[in-house]
Amino acid sequence: MADGLTTTLNGLINKLSGLAIPADLSLWQLALPAWFLVCFGVFYWYVFGRRSPFSVDSLRRKGPTEMNMSKRDEVLKKAFSEGRVPKGLDAIVIGSGVGGLTVAALLAKVGKKVLVLEQHEQAGGYCHSYTEKGFQFDIGLNYVGQLHENSLDRVAFDQITEGQLDFVNLGEPFDTIYIGQGQTQRKYTIYTGKTEMEAHLKKQFPDDTEAIEKFFQVMKVCARKTHHLACLKLIPRWLALFLLKTGIADVLSSVYRYSSMSHTAWLDQLTSNKDLHTIFSYFFYGVPPKDSSLYVNALLIHHYKRGAYYPKGGASEIPYHISNTIRNYGGEVLVSAPVRRILLDKNGAACGVVVGNSDSEVEVKAPIVISNCGLFNTFKNLLPPQISMKHEIQERLHRVKPGRGSFIVFCGFDATAEQLDIGPTNIRLYKDNDMNKMMDRYFNMYKDEAPDNVPMMLVTFPTAKDPTAKLRCPGKSCMTLVTMVNYEWFEEWKDMPVTKRGDQYLQYKTRFAKHMFDWACLHFPKLKEKLVFQEVYTPLSNSHFLGAYQGSMYLQHNLDLFDPVFMAKNRCDTPVKNLYLTGQDVFSCGISGALHGGLLCASSVLNHILYWDLLFLKKKLKKAKAKQDAQQAKKKLH
């Protein structure tokens, strides 16, 4: 496409240069087409004139899933040493979550020499898997949406993994929701499909069909206009704030109103059915619906409208293949490399990092530093106090809060999925249908009350989702239980060594785990007798292994975070020159949120909106697919 535009532009210039200019033509009449040509040339250069990381040619033939753990460890567990740092670095990325790996792969593919540094012993962040006693568990990934053929996210993942990721569709229903307890418990199922998702909900709520239709209308707007919110981070900050504060942005798109609108306040106008309120809010992330954004909750449901997917081979397949891409283009991903601080030059610009501990520190220099370790860790822990106290940094920190801590119970069973009567469907359990009261009551409990009163829980079976699990873990099954907790409930043990926090800590987290496991067994009674392994991750585990600030997976996704004015300010570039942010904290939570955080960050670093390139590639692929389908249909007719 760029070559065609170049030919067109050159032809236009040649034609204009050959025209005879009338003597009576005024200066402004000459200036107008000249101004147009200059503007067109600048736009062309900005959109098409620079190297793109995206191309059809970058995809390779998909290889088999690598089952050899030692070979996987060579990719995911390559430890840091000074000798392994590539020479002539262009950029350093702190943290190997999806956001960090994405920006690193994109920069590497346009010729930049990139180094990714991970403080844990394995790359991947919340997307890594760990193996224990013959079981493989995913730390943070449960499923991903928007990965149907030629979707924007699927095209992006294919580009940063060179086409090596393979996703499994989880089928129907992908989620089952239980509300209430005992005899009054209600069961609802969520289906995918452009029309099927809405139709299936209407069957379950026949008295609320109009409310469902209105919600799906808003959901469609939020999904189709998400790029309007992303644009706030890509256009000049002064322009974004001007459009928002003058009200022009609201005239251009309703998504700005939805993003700052209370989810509950809007649902209250829609229906009084509290069960339906729960269905429209069932992706819990620690914020009551009354304090969360209508836009975010609608977008989360829409995310799975075209299918729910799981990476074949487990969550670690994602960092495994992106790491290979980075290395294929001359970069490197090194683990066991805790970054202690960001180096600044005499002008206050980022110029490298210090890696290691107080006994053995190594300085690694690069003209660009990108942080994927979170907004709080970056500004509070990695910068000198005099820099972190800058007004622009403090303003950003004061507008956000750490999310709730995640509490995860990993369970291993000496039985197959068939023997346990489990499947790929995720189970969501809620003790009450008033999520606001339920969550307020729970998060305001005293520390000793909380373990026996967990009000909501996710139950997921990763081995039942993955066809390779029977080869990786023959005769075994895994279950993961997830809920949210207050960091303060565990804070008294935060300064103790990770394996020596004492009996009180063990007893306290075991109380949570027992309550959650017993609750899961009510729905899957065969689990209890086949349990052979159980491990519990608290917010302190997340802080230790993943560097998570206060053990949270992401920022608190409240209305402040999605206020359009703050979204325009919370961008990838920072008040520190040459220091950028990527990942979930830049835009939104989840794998997809981190992916787009990486795309936004790479666009900022390269001063080139990569979404243009991605959209043109998507259009090209869809056109090729339509042509292929037409040819196949023609063959069938003959």
Side-chain angles (χ1 to χ4, degrees):
M1 178 169 282
D3 291 341
L5 284 168
T6 303
T7 304
T8 302
L9 185 59
N10 289 337
L12 181 61
I13 292 170
N14 290 334
K15 286 181 180 179
L16 288 173
S17 63
L19 291 176
I21 301 173
D24 60 344
L25 201 63
S26 63
L27 184 61
W28 72 267
Q29 287 174 310
L30 284 172
L32 191 61
W35 176 83
F36 172 78
L37 281 174
V38 169
C39 290
F40 181 80
V42 170
F43 175 78
Y44 164 77
W45 173 81
Y46 188 74
V47 176
F48 305 107
R50 281 169 284 183
R51 185 174 174 182
S52 171
F54 307 122
S55 72
V56 176
D57 297 336
S58 67
L59 304 185
R60 295 181 283 113
R61 183 186 295 274
K62 195 178 267 86
T65 302
E66 181 57 72
M67 308 293 288
N68 187 310
M69 291 306 297
S70 62
K71 289 185 177 180
R72 294 181 67 83
D73 287 349
E74 289 175 8
V75 174
L76 294 170
K77 295 185 177 182
K78 192 172 182 179
F80 174 84
S81 70
E82 197 169 357
R84 286 178 170 171
V85 175
K87 304 297 182 185
L89 285 176
D90 294 300
I92 296 169
V93 179
I94 307 168
S96 68
V98 169
L101 292 174
T102 297
V103 68
L106 294 171
L107 294 182
K109 290 185 71 174
V110 295
K112 305 293 184 185
K113 192 69 68 68
V114 187
L115 170 66
V116 180
L117 297 171
E118 168 58 49
Q119 62 104 33
H120 191 32
E121 63 180 21
Q122 181 174 335
Y126 278 109
C127 227
H128 84 268
S129 307
Y130 84 100
T131 303
E132 192 71 37
K133 308 293 185 184
F135 298 98
Q136 181 176 303
F137 297 100
D138 300 329
I139 296 298
L141 184 148
N142 299 309
Y143 46 8
V144 189
Q146 292 293 313
L147 291 177
H148 51 283
E149 188 176 16
N150 290 333
S151 69
L152 194 70
D153 284 12
R154 185 56 181 264
V155 174
F157 268 123
D158 283 346
Q159 288 295 305
I160 60 177
T161 64
E162 300 190 317
Q164 297 307 296
L165 267 181
D166 200 1
F167 290 97
V168 181
N169 192 315
L170 299 186
E172 312 295 354
F174 71 95
D175 272 337
T176 295
I177 301 163
Y178 291 91
I179 302 174
Q181 302 178 79
Q183 298 299 316
T184 62
Q185 186 178 79
R186 286 85 66 201
K187 175 184 176 181
Y188 302 101
T189 52
I190 310 296
Y191 278 55
T192 63
K194 293 177 74 172
T195 59
E196 292 83 356
M197 177 182 273
E198 181 178 346
H200 187 69
L201 274 180
K202 286 180 178 178
K203 287 180 182 178
Q204 298 175 91
F205 295 93
D207 297 330
D208 287 282
T209 56
E210 187 178 345
I212 292 169
E213 286 173 2
K214 288 181 179 178
F215 183 80
F216 272 73
Q217 287 169 6
V218 170
M219 195 170 81
K220 185 183 291 186
V221 171
C222 291
R224 289 183 174 179
K225 305 299 182 183
T226 289
H227 62 282
H228 290 174
L229 284 169
C231 281
L232 296 177
K233 301 174 184 294
L234 293 170
I235 64 176
R237 173 173 158 155
W238 67 266
L239 178 57
L241 295 177
F242 171 78
L243 294 173
L244 291 168
K245 292 183 177 181
T246 57
I248 295 174
D250 285 337
V251 174
L252 295 174
S253 177
S254 56
V255 75
Y256 299 114
R257 296 194 300 276
Y258 292 146
S259 68
S260 55
M261 188 180 293
S262 162
H263 190 54
T264 295
W266 190 80
L267 289 180
D268 283 342
Q269 300 173 26
L270 203 63
T271 176
S272 59
N273 190 327
K274 289 295 184 182
D275 276 15
L276 189 54
H277 277 218
T278 302
I279 299 301
F280 288 153
S281 318
Y282 81 90
F283 288 98
F284 66 80
Y285 42 85
V287 179
K290 63 184 172 65
D291 299 324
S292 65
S293 165
L294 167 62
Y295 160 78
V296 171
N297 289 285
L299 200 64
L300 282 170
I301 295 176
H302 185 276
H303 186 63
Y304 298 97
K305 194 174 181 181
R306 298 292 298 275
Y309 298 83
Y310 183 81
K312 184 180 178 182
S316 61
E317 283 292 287
I318 296 175
Y320 177 81
H321 289 299
I322 306 178
S323 296
N324 277 333
T325 299
I326 294 167
R327 292 190 176 108
N328 288 344
Y329 287 87
E332 188 57 276
V333 180
L334 300 176
V335 303
S336 301
V339 172
R340 297 303 176 188
R341 59 186 180 274
I342 295 169
L343 294 171
L344 306 178
D345 63 21
K346 61 181 180 181
N347 298 316
C351 63
V353 298
V354 174
V355 186
N357 51 48
S358 55
D359 297 326
S360 177
E361 290 187 343
V362 177
E363 289 189 359
V364 183
K365 297 292 188 72
I368 297 291
V369 177
I370 300 167
S371 177
N372 186 48
C373 63
L375 193 144
F376 282 103
N377 279 332
T378 304
F379 289 153
K380 282 178 170 281
N381 300 331
L382 298 182
L383 292 173
Q386 68 273 19
I387 301 299
S388 62
M389 290 307 295
K390 281 187 173 183
H391 172 72
E392 285 183 83
I393 291 177
Q394 287 299 310
E395 182 185 30
R396 205 184 292 196
L397 288 174
H398 288 156
R399 284 295 300 272
V400 296
K401 297 178 182 177
R404 303 287 181 185
S406 54
F407 188 98
I408 310 173
V409 184
F410 300 107
C411 303
F413 305 94
D414 210 0
T416 64
E418 292 77 15
Q419 291 169 335
L420 295 172
D421 289 334
I422 61 177
T425 302
N426 298 286
I427 310 299
R428 303 268 181 172
L429 305 178
Y430 297 93
K431 291 184 177 177
D432 197 340
N433 67 357
D434 191 328
M435 290 186 67
N436 290 312
K437 288 183 180 178
M438 180 181 71
M439 294 175 75
D440 282 346
R441 184 168 58 245
Y442 174 60
F443 291 124
N444 284 309
M445 281 182 179
Y446 291 111
K447 170 186 163 183
D448 196 53
E449 293 179 273
D452 305 316
N453 291 284
V454 175
M456 55 195 177
M457 182 172 72
L458 166 67
V459 184
T460 182
F461 302 99
T463 45
K465 299 174 183 178
D466 181 14
T468 71
K470 292 180 180 179
L471 299 174
R472 291 185 288 104
C473 310
K476 299 178 183 293
S477 296
C478 297
M479 176 178 73
T480 304
L481 308 176
V482 184
T483 194
M484 310 299 285
V485 294
N486 286 332
Y487 175 76
E488 291 76 18
W489 293 338
F490 299 85
E491 196 170 17
E492 68 175 272
W493 296 290
K494 69 181 175 66
D495 295 323
M496 297 181 182
V498 65
T499 58
K500 298 178 181 179
R501 292 194 172 115
D503 292 339
Q504 284 188 327
Y505 174 72
L506 178 62
Q507 291 167 8
Y508 186 64
K509 70 177 186 177
T510 301
R511 284 177 59 197
F512 274 100
K514 183 181 184 307
H515 179 85
M516 293 167 68
F517 183 73
D518 289 345
W519 193 5
C521 288
L522 293 178
H523 296 271
F524 302 97
K526 294 182 179 180
L527 296 177
K528 190 164 286 189
E529 63 184 44
K530 295 295 184 178
L531 180 70
V532 294
F533 173 82
Q534 191 172 87
E535 190 162 26
V536 181
Y537 268 35
T538 73
L540 302 185
S541 311
N542 294 328
S543 294
H544 174 78
F545 292 111
L546 301 175
Y549 189 82
Q550 294 190 2
S552 62
M553 285 189 175
Y554 26 71
L555 295 176
Q556 194 172 122
H557 276 45
N558 55 21
L559 285 167
D560 282 344
L561 185 65
F562 289 95
D563 173 67
V565 171
F566 180 69
M567 290 195 80
K569 294 179 178 180
N570 185 33
R571 47 213 296 142
C572 299
D573 56 301
T574 72
V576 178
K577 188 178 179 182
N578 298 337
L579 173 63
Y580 296 84
L581 298 175
T582 186
Q584 296 182 109
D585 287 6
V586 170
F587 193 69
S588 177
C589 62
I591 303 300
S592 183
L595 172 72
H596 285 279
L599 283 162
L600 289 165
C601 184
S603 297
S604 297
V605 173
L606 298 172
N607 193 28
H608 174 50
I609 300 177
L610 295 178
Y611 283 97
W612 284 106
D613 302 330
L614 195 59
L615 286 167
F616 282 125
L617 177 60
K618 176 188 172 185
K619 186 177 180 180
K620 184 176 181 179
L621 291 169
K622 288 186 75 172
K623 188 176 179 180
K625 179 67 167 58
K627 185 178 180 180
Q628 182 184 18
D629 290 345
Q631 289 173 344
Q632 289 177 349
K634 191 175 180 180
K635 285 181 181 178
K636 286 182 180 179
L637 286 174
H638 289 292

